[in-house]
Amino acid sequence: MDQFVINGGQALAGTIRAAGAKNAALPILAATLLAEGRTSLSNVPQLRDIKTMLQLLTRMGVQFTQDAQQQFIIDANEVTHYAAPYELVKTMRASILVLGPLLARFGQAEVSLPGGCAIGARPVNLHVDGLRAFGAAIEVRNGYIQAQAERLRGATFTMETVTVTGTENLLMAAVLTDGRSVLHNAACEPEVVDLANFLNAMGAKIHGAGTPTITIDGVERLIGTQYSVLPDRIETGTYLVAAAMTRGHIRIENTRADLLTAVLDKLREAGAVITSGDDWIELDMRGQRPRAVDIRTAPYPAFPTDMQAQFCALNSIADGVGQVIETVFENRFMHAVEMQRMGANIRLESNTAMCRGIERLTAAPVMATDLRASASLVLAALVADGETVIDRIYHIDRGYENIEAKFAELGANIRRVSGE
């Protein structure tokens, strides 16, 4: 099992390029099931979760190739299997995103329930209830969602809680319904907007994506198209926090500042000087130690839960005391315990982490527990005295493309080794 070995103490400096957004690419790949003809996708990140989704689609009969420009050419005209088995779904919960497209285009789907999640419960009842509102007959048996429908019909559905994957699944199902559908209390994340833009490029009629109310007028068919996935705002934010923690100066290209308003505001509050253009962001700490900041996670456009662990790492070495309140997931402070092994002064109480910054952390062997927790441990190691070994880094490969190469470009002393 691979590990990262990191020697801290280097201020990050230089320029890197952001990858495409994992959380946009996954639903867009699932949505290719809806299209007749070929679809060409660019800016798809090279990640473990992407490989898992492609493996799942291939099992169903989808054909894909990569051209010389790293574009994915996807053809879903020969789909013959309509199941997402447990052995794939258990490794990536986003596999449930094939449920809506399979049901809408082929009238049937059998998708495993995702099971447990390291960062808390992510119930799928809203996916099921919404599809039933569209007229699907659904049973949950032997750990599988079994769904059938001759043709879905438009309906109005209000989600009890904001759910990104639930919004995406229902959005993909609604595009091929008879009549109009309205989704209330929909997720507003940029990745939902990117999916809607992709579906519209294939001929869907979606209005209001990015707002709590999305209206979809069903169409008879969708046709394959060319599309480029939006940049990964969480990857961008992670590198910006790393630069702030190391008192560095970096520039990130192929990214968008408008997707990161809440994060950039907190980095400025921490003392960073930030400038940006249409497709780049630059952060300069001017050699200064960051100031501690208070954050509270909430659905977009508020502060993203996927950046919470990184800001816990920043607060651990910042000047002052920072309060981090997690409102989205109930079990997302496991990284704090590992940071405590490195000397971090973090006190946990319910959904709150109180971080009193210290000048420097101390290297220690630590273990990643989920995707964003693993990223926060890399950040902590970059400012720790000595050599930190991070175990179970397969988590980080799910969401960060070539992370060790990018950090090395910025001057970090990081290498990947094969563990025992």
Side-chain angles (χ1 to χ4, degrees), residues 108-272:
Q108 58 183 304
E110 184 174 342
V111 178
S112 171
L113 291 169
C117 180
I119 61 173
R122 302 191 194 188
V124 299
N125 60 297
L126 295 178
H127 303 238
V128 172
D129 292 345
L131 292 172
R132 282 176 173 155
F134 292 160
I138 298 179
E139 293 185 8
V140 180
R141 286 190 311 212
N142 303 320
Y144 279 81
I145 302 169
Q146 299 175 339
Q148 291 187 323
E150 287 190 12
R151 183 168 173 87
L152 298 174
R153 60 177 182 270
T156 296
F157 183 72
T158 300
M159 284 169 275
E160 293 180 2
T161 58
V162 176
T163 162
V164 174
T165 54
T167 299
E168 291 166 342
N169 234 339
L170 298 182
L171 185 61
M172 289 185 281
V175 293
L176 293 182
T177 61
D178 284 330
R180 169 170 288 187
S181 299
V182 181
L183 301 179
H184 291 296
N185 200 27
C188 301
E189 272 69 5
E191 294 79 13
V192 173
V193 177
D194 209 36
L195 173 62
N197 290 341
F198 172 66
L199 292 168
N200 283 340
M202 293 197 298
K205 296 180 179 179
I206 301 168
H207 304 280
T211 76
T213 301
I214 303 177
T215 302
I216 309 103
D217 290 308
V219 297
E220 284 292 325
R221 57 202 288 255
L222 298 180
I223 305 297
T225 188
Q226 291 186 327
Y227 196 78
S228 179
V229 176
L230 93 168
D232 195 316
R233 61 191 171 104
I234 304 302
E235 183 202 33
T236 297
T238 299
Y239 286 108
L240 292 174
V241 172
M245 290 176 63
T246 62
R247 311 185 188 189
H249 180 189
I250 70 168
R251 178 185 173 100
I252 303 178
E253 298 179 340
N254 188 45
T255 192
R256 286 171 46 189
D258 64 301
L259 305 179
L260 280 162
T261 301
V263 171
L264 296 181
D265 286 347
K266 286 299 176 181
L267 285 169
R268 290 189 179 97
E269 188 179 327

Side-chain angles (χ1 to χ4, degrees), residues 358-402:
I358 60 176
E359 279 280 354
R360 295 190 70 84
L361 300 176
T362 304
V366 292
M367 182 177 67
T369 54
D370 62 70
L371 171 55
R372 305 307 171 186
S374 61
S376 72
L377 295 179
V378 171
L379 270 55
L382 291 174
V383 295
D385 287 328
E387 183 176 272
T388 299
V389 178
I390 304 176
D391 204 1
R392 296 177 64 183
I393 63 169
Y394 59 84
H395 287 292
I396 210 165
D397 292 331
R398 292 183 45 233
Y400 291 89
E401 180 182 280
N402 299 324

